[in-house]
Amino acid sequence: MTTLADRIELIEPMGLYADIAGLKDFTRLPSLVHGDPVTLDFSSVVGLPPMTVPLDEYVQALGRAFAPFSATQHTVTGHVVEIDGDRATLHAHVRAEHRVPEERAGGGPVTSRRTSSPRVRPAPRAGCR
């Protein structure tokens, strides 16, 4: 796993990951991005320890979490891929914006922003550990 094609295969799912919430596609996209079960590490975002959950449980939680927002945008940039034999780690910067409908904002901010730099271990593919 060292070619440019290998790196693209690792980076492409990050764009799909960003689209899950933006498009509110909780049916088709999650299985293209995540293995089952999925290991989540949002410790750099909200301080929760890493956890492994069934994919369908994660997808249901995503739907509930993003339901209040009228729009979201997640931008993933600065991809750094570290390859070690048949294993890889991807580090990227994520900027997220979540728009709350004005009638629900109660005079507060309509858009919240969050920036994080998660490390992702992509789901194993055929021929990889």
Side-chain angles (χ1 to χ4, degrees):
M1 194 181 257
T2 58
T3 68
L4 181 58
D6 293 327
R7 291 175 182 274
I8 291 170
E9 185 177 342
L10 294 167
I11 293 170
E12 182 74 17
M14 295 302 289
L16 295 173
Y17 174 79
D19 281 345
I20 292 170
L23 299 174
K24 293 190 176 188
D25 183 339
F26 305 115
T27 304
R28 183 182 61 89
L29 289 179
S31 65
L32 296 177
V33 177
H34 302 291
D36 189 6
V38 59
T39 299
L40 308 167
D41 183 353
F42 291 105
S43 57
S44 68
V45 181
V46 294
L48 292 174
M51 65 184 92
T52 300
V53 298
L55 182 58
D56 63 337
E57 185 178 311
Y58 174 59
V59 169
Q60 290 172 17
L62 278 178
R64 289 189 304 271
F66 286 101
F69 302 112
S70 57
T72 66
Q73 180 182 30
H74 294 76
T75 306
V76 185
T77 62
H79 303 88
V80 177
V81 177
E82 297 171 10
I83 297 175
D84 182 15
D86 62 353
R87 297 194 56 89
T89 300
L90 172 64
H91 177 261
H93 302 282
V94 179
R95 179 178 169 99
E97 297 196 21
H98 305 101
R99 182 168 178 78
V100 177
E102 291 192 33
E103 61 273 7
R104 294 196 63 196
V110 175
T111 303
S112 68
R113 293 178 180 83
R114 182 177 299 260
T115 304
S116 64
S117 298
R119 285 197 175 274
V120 176
R121 290 195 184 277
R125 300 203 183 273
C128 296
R129 285 189 277 145

